[in-house]
Amino acid sequence: MQPPERPRRRDCDSSKALPQVAKSSSIPGPTANRLGLILRELQHCQRSGQMTIRSGFLARRLGLSDSQIRRDLAQLGQLGKRGVGYDVIELIARLRNMLGTDGQWRTILVGLGNLGSALVGYRSFREQGFQLVAIYEADPTKTGQTIDGVPVLPIDSIEATLPKLNVDLAILAVPTEAATAVAERLYRLGIGGILNFAPVTLNQSPSTAIIDVDLAIEMQRLAFAVVNRQRSS
Amino acid sequence: MQPPERPRRRDCDSSKALPQVAKSSSIPGPTANRLGLILRELQHCQRSGQMTIRSGFLARRLGLSDSQIRRDLAQLGQLGKRGVGYDVIELIARLRNMLGTDGQWRTILVGLGNLGSALVGYRSFREQGFQLVAIYEADPTKTGQTIDGVPVLPIDSIEATLPKLNVDLAILAVPTEAATAVAERLYRLGIGGILNFAPVTLNQSPSTAIIDVDLAIEMQRLAFAVVNRQRSS
DNA sequence: TGCTGTGAAAGTCTTCACAGCG
DNA sequence: CGCTGTGAAGACTTTCACAGCA
């Protein structure tokens, strides 16, 4: 019942030069972002052995309104039981499916500096289905070893080695000066998406999704929230 | 400094009889988030010696529409010159003022694990006005030293030592299990805001702003963006 | 000419209010 | 009864289109 319309993304798009066909997801952008938080909270509840959950509980926990939670969850189908709430297990399964994390995503890390090293072995990555299959690094004194069973390969071998690894996603944690060039190489290798930690705007690629995590900008958002006493998404 | 702000939040109701006192200095949430990206791009342009900039250029760079850029910047006043564009230096100054990063924010880091260590000395923090004044850590083998001139103090001394440090913000990089309890202690100490890296929903506090950075959720957003990017090939 | 600033329109998201069902 | 699902209203955001000025 949705017309083949333009993407309704709030953050990217807007370029009429893109011949972009239809967009498959019926999920509004803001909703998708909240579903991630809801999923995390549900997994927490599951670990405490809770079997069902009500919209009002999630709402209070996450600082949202109960009607908003219900609207968000209604995107997944009619999963709630009136008078009772939602089944925690079922909701988790449905959310993971919707968010695309019910399977495994083969992932590489590029850049084994301070931040990159901290990200290796970050437990939540693996728990959510992101499997680290290789690490690429420019410094030759760091390559050759394996960390947590993951091989550290020379960045210059990436064109030769990446195609065999069948990789979906890359985590980009290289120095700012190198980020743009590395991103271009990843585009050319056909990577599906990049999580970019470098504080620089990468050129856009039609076939690669990019999510930026700029820690300085997050601090700015915090400062802004303090001054404006707002809550963030 | 801002006068006491009106609560223009999008979630908690608290008072439905809000007669809407229209504080003009308050900018829309989505706009505020984009202004951070715009600022970063402007600083990049400034380093290349560019003196003026047009909305269309920023738009292409950031993947937004030019009219959106103009709307966002119009929030700061009429800073553009018709037929020319915006003065880079002036715009940066105005943006930093608006986002609250024209002064210094005294900041502590709590938790000197892998991630915390990576955050110490992260250059962009200091460049954007976030000054690290102390690090708190539970492991006694790590306390007592200084890192980059910043003292590493025992977490249990925080009630005694924090008040003297005149701190505004905290970066919370402790293990998940400890995060909630540490956050409560920070609330009680009157901290203004917390940048939370623990993958857990913190209880909310009326006087402390919270920004969450959950790296697993960012990966989920990336996966979602990949799945919902319908490319012909 | 070329670009900004902005009213008005279009589009999107959130909240309200209550029907509907276990 | 309690809680979900949802039409309708309202609030907010983006886009369009063009006036206005350097």
Side-chain angles (χ1 to χ4, degrees):
Chain A
M1 74 177 317
Q2 79 197 42
E5 248 317 325
R6 306 253 27 242
R8 61 231 281 181
R9 280 278 198 311
R10 62 191 304 91
D11 33 13
C12 35
D13 137 74
S14 80
S15 161
K16 59 198 59 179
L18 278 185
Q20 183 107 217
V21 198
K23 191 168 158 266
S24 56
S25 165
S26 54
I27 302 230
T31 294
N33 291 325
R34 283 189 300 267
L35 290 180
L37 292 170
I38 291 173
L39 174 56
R40 187 177 71 179
E41 194 61 28
L42 285 168
Q43 289 169 326
H44 183 75
C45 291
Q46 184 188 22
R47 280 192 291 274
S48 336
Q50 198 164 145
M51 299 309 290
T52 67
I53 197 161
R54 284 160 290 125
S55 62
F57 178 85
L58 281 170
R60 225 169 313 114
R61 212 58 202 98
L62 300 175
L64 305 168
S65 71
D66 55 349
S67 62
Q68 185 161 64
I69 298 282
R70 288 199 299 278
R71 268 268 187 243
D72 288 348
L73 295 181
Q75 297 283 343
L76 310 178
Q78 303 192 177
L79 298 173
K81 291 182 181 55
R82 292 166 197 230
V84 180
Y86 302 84
D87 183 275
V88 172
I89 309 267
E90 181 188 10
L91 203 46
I92 287 174
R94 211 63 201 73
L95 274 169
R96 295 191 66 140
N97 174 256
M98 178 58 82
L99 295 174
T101 51
D102 51 350
Q104 291 288 310
W105 290 85
R106 292 176 63 83
T107 307
I108 57 167
L109 168 66
V110 188
L112 195 55
N114 286 328
L115 183 58
S117 303
L119 296 175
V120 179
Y122 189 65
R123 301 191 72 211
S124 311
F125 282 162
R126 167 145 285 171
E127 288 167 4
Q128 300 303 321
F130 300 98
Q131 186 188 354
L132 194 60
V133 297
I135 300 166
Y136 288 95
E137 164 62 37
D139 179 352
T141 67
K142 292 181 183 167
T143 60
Q145 58 177 319
T146 72
I147 300 185
D148 275 356
V150 181
V152 182
L153 307 175
I155 180 70
D156 282 328
S157 76
I158 194 167
E159 278 79 11
T161 54
L162 195 71
K164 297 171 196 148
L165 290 172
N166 201 18
V167 163
D168 306 298
L169 307 175
I171 300 171
L172 188 55
V174 301
T176 308
E177 317 79 66
T180 311
V182 173
E184 297 287 345
R185 291 169 78 176
L186 292 169
Y187 296 161
R188 246 174 270 126
L189 288 161
I191 202 106
I194 298 176
L195 187 68
N196 172 40
F197 284 94
V200 67
T201 307
L202 300 180
N203 297 321
Q204 314 206 256
S205 160
S207 55
T208 302
I210 297 173
I211 297 283
D212 288 293
V213 180
D214 183 328
L215 301 179
I217 287 187
E218 301 299 335
M219 285 299 283
Q220 276 180 6
R221 298 212 302 139
L222 179 60
F224 184 79
V226 169
V227 170
N228 290 274
R229 316 245 159 87
Q230 284 178 351
R231 232 282 171 188
S232 72
S233 51
Chain B
M1 277 304 274
Q2 304 262 97
E5 259 307 309
R6 89 190 150 102
R8 87 181 263 307
R9 49 197 23 156
R10 56 204 307 104
D11 30 36
C12 315
D13 47 308
S14 62
S15 87
K16 55 195 58 180
L18 226 278
Q20 168 149 344
V21 195
K23 272 292 291 176
S24 58
S25 75
S26 176
I27 41 189
T31 294
N33 290 326
R34 284 189 300 266
L35 290 181
L37 291 170
I38 292 174
L39 173 56
R40 186 177 73 179
E41 194 61 29
L42 285 168
Q43 289 171 326
H44 183 76
C45 291
Q46 183 187 22
R47 281 191 290 273
S48 338
Q50 198 165 146
M51 300 308 290
T52 67
I53 198 161
R54 284 160 290 126
S55 62
F57 178 85
L58 281 170
R60 224 170 313 113
R61 212 60 200 96
L62 300 175
L64 305 167
S65 71
D66 54 349
S67 61
Q68 184 162 63
I69 298 281
R70 289 200 298 279
R71 269 270 188 242
D72 288 347
L73 294 181
Q75 296 282 345
L76 311 178
Q78 302 193 179
L79 297 172
K81 291 183 184 54
R82 292 167 198 233
V84 179
Y86 302 84
D87 182 276
V88 172
I89 308 266
E90 180 188 11
L91 202 47
I92 289 175
R94 208 63 201 73
L95 275 168
R96 295 191 64 140
N97 173 256
M98 176 60 80
L99 295 173
T101 51
D102 50 350
Q104 291 288 309
W105 291 84
R106 293 175 63 86
T107 306
I108 58 169
L109 167 67
V110 187
L112 194 54
N114 286 329
L115 183 58
S117 303
L119 296 174
V120 179
Y122 190 64
R123 301 189 72 213
S124 311
F125 281 163
R126 167 144 285 170
E127 288 167 6
Q128 300 302 322
F130 300 98
Q131 186 188 354
L132 195 60
V133 297
I135 299 165
Y136 288 95
E137 164 62 35
D139 180 349
T141 68
K142 292 181 183 167
T143 60
Q145 60 177 318
T146 73
I147 300 185
D148 276 357
V150 180
V152 183
L153 307 174
I155 180 69
D156 282 327
S157 76
I158 195 169
E159 278 79 10
T161 55
L162 196 72
K164 299 172 194 147
L165 290 172
N166 202 17
V167 163
D168 305 300
L169 307 175
I171 300 171
L172 189 55
V174 301
T176 308
E177 316 79 66
T180 311
V182 173
E184 297 286 346
R185 293 168 78 176
L186 292 170
Y187 296 161
R188 249 175 266 126
L189 288 161
I191 202 106
I194 297 175
L195 187 68
N196 173 41
F197 284 94
V200 67
T201 307
L202 300 180
N203 297 320
Q204 313 205 250
S205 159
S207 54
T208 302
I210 297 172
I211 297 283
D212 288 293
V213 180
D214 183 328
L215 301 178
I217 287 187
E218 301 299 335
M219 285 299 284
Q220 276 180 5
R221 298 212 300 140
L222 180 60
F224 183 79
V226 170
V227 169
N228 289 277
R229 166 174 305 252
Q230 187 154 318
R231 278 292 295 163
S232 22
S233 66

